[in-house]
Amino acid sequence: MCMSNNKTFGNTLHSSSHMEYLKALKQHRLKIKLSQVCVLLGFLLLWEVAATLNWIDSFFTSKPSEVFKLIINLSRDGSLFKHTAISVFEVVMGFVIGTILGTIAAIMLWWSDFAAKVLDPYLVVLNALPKIALGPIIIIWAGAGMRGIIVTALAISLVVTILATYNGFKEVDEEKIKMLMTFGATKFQILQKVVFPASIPTMLNTMKINIGMSWVGVIVGEFLVSKAGLGYLIVYGGQVFRLDIVMAGVIVLAIATALMYQLIVWLEAKFLRGRQ
């Protein structure tokens, strides 16, 4: 009886301590979120005050209130949604195609060690090469318009996907692979049962990187040839010296990028939770 009471007391104490820990963790996360919001609001307030009091030239920097008014006006006439939708579509297409082709290429490199050793220096050079410099060449090859912009986004994200995914394949526990080979597993079975599942977290991390890379490719393409999209909006604002248009385009671009990144983070958290 005494032992039972002690066990109950111990469980209650453990549960109480665990609840306190979860509460403290939740409060810590809340403080981080509030601090992030305060930093953003403080920056916007300082920007507004500096422009209003002529500490900075608002002709070159604009100010948050003017940018906010412009975003509202562009939203009302539908042009902001049009430009944003075009850019998001181009990013999604480049991102999806790049992820699929990059994963397939990584599987082929893992499958053939000879091909991996032959292509490794070329992939390293392509990865180190400033992708923006390839923009004009890609536009000429693929053609002006949306197709060229999507190919630009694809070219920027593809090599990163190949290298990151292939390195993830190589880091899979060799003991597990040897064990399956001992039981007579084929290479496809090893890929299906061990290598690919173990590399999914790496692939998800690569996808988070590729969201930003795809946006870089799309904006570069839109700077060069587009007649619509957030990149076009930013370039147009610079050409007519409307810095409020430039800042509005940059802010919407940042919001769209952050939302797409958070979507990948949500998918990653859901997948990892499902594996536990």
Side-chain angles (χ1 to χ4, degrees):
M1 187 72 173
C2 181
M3 291 180 61
S4 177
N5 289 337
N6 288 338
K7 185 176 180 180
T8 302
F9 176 75
N11 289 339
T12 303
L13 181 62
H14 176 74
S15 177
S16 176
S17 300
H18 185 65
M19 292 299 294
E20 287 294 331
Y21 168 75
L22 292 178
K23 182 178 179 181
L25 185 61
K26 186 176 181 180
Q27 289 176 346
H28 180 68
R29 289 173 178 171
L30 181 60
K31 288 180 182 178
I32 292 175
K33 294 295 182 183
L34 290 175
S35 298
Q36 291 173 339
V37 172
C38 288
V39 169
L40 177 60
L41 293 178
F43 170 75
L44 293 176
L45 179 61
L46 179 62
W47 180 11
E48 182 73 26
V49 171
T52 302
L53 298 180
N54 293 321
W55 295 348
I56 56 177
D57 192 340
S58 59
F59 176 78
F60 294 105
T61 63
S62 189
K63 55 184 179 179
S65 58
E66 295 297 328
V67 174
F68 180 74
K69 290 178 183 177
L70 178 63
I71 290 176
I72 296 298
N73 292 333
L74 292 176
S75 300
R76 285 175 177 170
D77 64 21
S79 58
L80 183 63
F81 297 110
K82 172 190 171 184
H83 291 298
T84 304
I86 290 173
S87 293
V88 168
F89 175 78
E90 292 166 346
V91 168
V92 169
M93 291 298 296
F95 171 76
V96 171
I97 297 172
T99 300
I100 294 173
L101 292 181
T103 302
I104 293 173
I107 291 173
M108 294 173 64
L109 292 177
W110 175 84
W111 196 281
S112 173
D113 186 62
F114 177 78
K117 290 180 179 179
V118 170
L119 297 177
D120 181 69
Y122 299 101
L123 291 172
V124 171
V125 170
L126 286 174
N127 187 50
L129 186 69
K131 311 301 186 303
I132 296 177
L134 299 176
I137 300 174
I138 294 172
I139 293 298
I140 293 173
W141 287 350
M146 186 174 290
R147 183 176 64 179
I149 295 170
I150 293 173
V151 173
T152 304
L154 169 63
I156 290 179
S157 64
L158 183 61
V159 178
V160 175
T161 303
I162 295 172
L163 289 175
T165 305
Y166 174 60
N167 288 330
F169 288 169
K170 291 196 299 182
E171 291 174 2
V172 175
D173 190 354
E174 286 289 336
E175 295 300 323
K176 294 180 179 179
I177 296 176
K178 289 179 180 178
M179 183 180 67
L180 286 180
M181 292 175 65
T182 302
F183 287 103
T186 64
K187 200 155 190 174
F188 178 77
Q189 289 173 329
I190 294 172
L191 174 67
Q192 181 185 21
K193 301 296 183 181
V194 177
V195 175
F196 195 84
S199 303
I200 289 179
T202 301
M203 294 165 62
L204 289 170
N205 284 329
T206 305
M207 290 169 65
K208 289 191 289 187
I209 297 172
N210 278 348
I211 284 292
M213 300 296 286
S214 297
W215 271 108
V216 170
V218 165
I219 296 303
V220 168
E222 290 180 347
F223 279 177
L224 295 173
V225 296
S226 181
K227 296 182 179 179
L230 294 176
Y232 165 78
L233 195 66
I234 293 170
V235 169
Y236 171 76
Q239 290 174 341
V240 298
F241 293 97
R242 287 283 306 277
L243 270 296
D244 54 343
I245 296 179
V246 174
M247 295 306 301
V250 171
I251 290 172
V252 174
L253 172 62
I255 293 172
T257 305
L259 290 175
M260 294 180 72
Y261 178 85
Q262 288 301 319
L263 177 60
I264 301 299
V265 171
W266 177 79
L267 291 173
E268 180 184 35
K270 188 174 181 180
F271 172 77
L272 295 178
R273 195 183 306 121
R275 296 185 68 183
Q276 293 176 352

